[in-house]
Amino acid sequence: QMQNLYELFLATDATQVEINPFSEGHYEGGEPTVFCVDAKLNFDSNAEYRQQDIFAMRDVSMEDWRDVAAEKEGLNYIGLDGEIGCMVNGAGLAMATLDIIQLHGGTASNFLDVGGGATADMVAKAFNIITSDPNVKALLVNIFGGIMKCDVIAAGVVQAAHEVGLKIPLIVRLEGTNVDAGKKILAESGLDIIAADDLDDAAIKAVASIKVNA
């Protein structure tokens, strides 16, 4: 039986095969035996092309609609239950942003990593997803430009803010490649953007903006 479980794990590109709980009992007139009462299986989404029959059974109605929408746009997004929307490039920086927001008394509404290859259009789509959450009271953009250029992000921020008709405070921290060009785009956009010098400053201003507008 354990060998069969292992073969199932490999054959289905599973990331988890869990049987819990077990129960001891017997059929009427039968010998005592062990029953598998419940099970949980997770599968590697990168293997969807190999496991089409399994992924065809996916029921997106049971998932967070924000996660589903972001996945369709190629964004790394996880919905949370806070009030500050976050758009960051890089998973490590995104996690640090969530931690710093909490340190200063705020809560994040999401984890969103736009990655290193984001375009202005992807940034606009990220804004749409974040701001469609009615719990979001402020939006923090935290970008460290390496592969991702600050001017591209800035153009996307301006485009997105106009498209969604942004009504909540927008806090932006840019640093790295083409940062001066990015800041110039934001400054000339006509948008009411709260500029931040670093991550700590950005988090403080994001939390304060919610209190001011409460």
Side-chain angles (χ1 to χ4, degrees):
Q1 290 176 328
M2 293 304 297
Q3 181 65 33
N4 288 340
L5 280 177
Y6 180 65
E7 291 176 359
L8 170 68
F9 181 84
L10 295 179
T12 60
D13 290 292
T15 56
Q16 177 186 16
V17 176
E18 175 185 345
I19 298 175
N20 183 26
F22 288 101
S23 177
E24 185 178 358
H26 63 83
Y27 295 106
E28 186 175 351
E31 295 293 324
T33 187
V34 174
F35 293 91
C36 301
V37 179
D38 198 4
K40 181 176 181 180
L41 293 87
N42 287 328
F43 306 96
D44 186 353
S45 58
N46 294 311
E48 182 174 356
Y49 71 97
R50 269 200 307 259
Q51 306 293 344
Q52 294 183 21
D53 290 344
I54 291 174
F55 281 88
M57 293 186 284
R58 179 183 178 187
D59 182 2
V60 296
S61 69
M62 301 299 292
E63 301 179 38
D64 189 320
W65 62 268
R66 299 171 298 175
D67 297 356
V68 176
E71 182 181 335
K72 289 180 179 178
E73 303 299 346
L75 298 168
N76 297 317
Y77 179 99
I78 299 173
L80 303 172
D81 57 3
E83 296 182 317
I84 299 175
C86 300
M87 189 184 78
V88 188
N89 68 318
L93 186 58
M95 293 299 295
T97 302
L98 268 58
D99 288 342
I100 295 297
I101 287 173
Q102 186 169 7
L103 177 66
H104 291 292
T107 53
S109 71
N110 66 276
F111 167 102
L112 193 152
D113 169 17
V114 294
T119 63
D121 186 54
M122 286 180 68
V123 173
K125 290 174 179 176
F127 261 51
N128 274 299
I129 293 169
I130 293 172
T131 56
S132 61
D133 182 348
N135 293 322
V136 173
K137 303 294 190 298
L139 178 52
L140 169 57
V141 176
N142 182 25
I143 300 297
F144 186 84
I147 299 174
M148 181 76 266
K149 297 178 180 179
C150 291
D151 55 332
V152 173
I153 287 289
V157 166
V158 173
Q159 174 186 329
H162 285 303
E163 283 184 6
V164 304
L166 195 65
K167 303 297 184 184
I168 58 176
L170 173 60
I171 302 89
V172 180
R173 178 256 180 164
L174 296 177
E175 193 58 68
T177 306
N178 292 354
V179 64
D180 290 335
K183 288 181 177 180
K184 185 173 185 291
I185 290 171
L186 296 178
E188 296 176 352
S189 67
L191 296 170
D192 186 15
I193 296 174
I194 302 172
D197 297 323
D198 52 43
L199 174 53
D200 201 51
D201 185 42
I204 291 171
K205 288 178 176 177
V207 173
S209 72
I210 291 179
K211 294 178 180 178
V212 168
N213 290 276

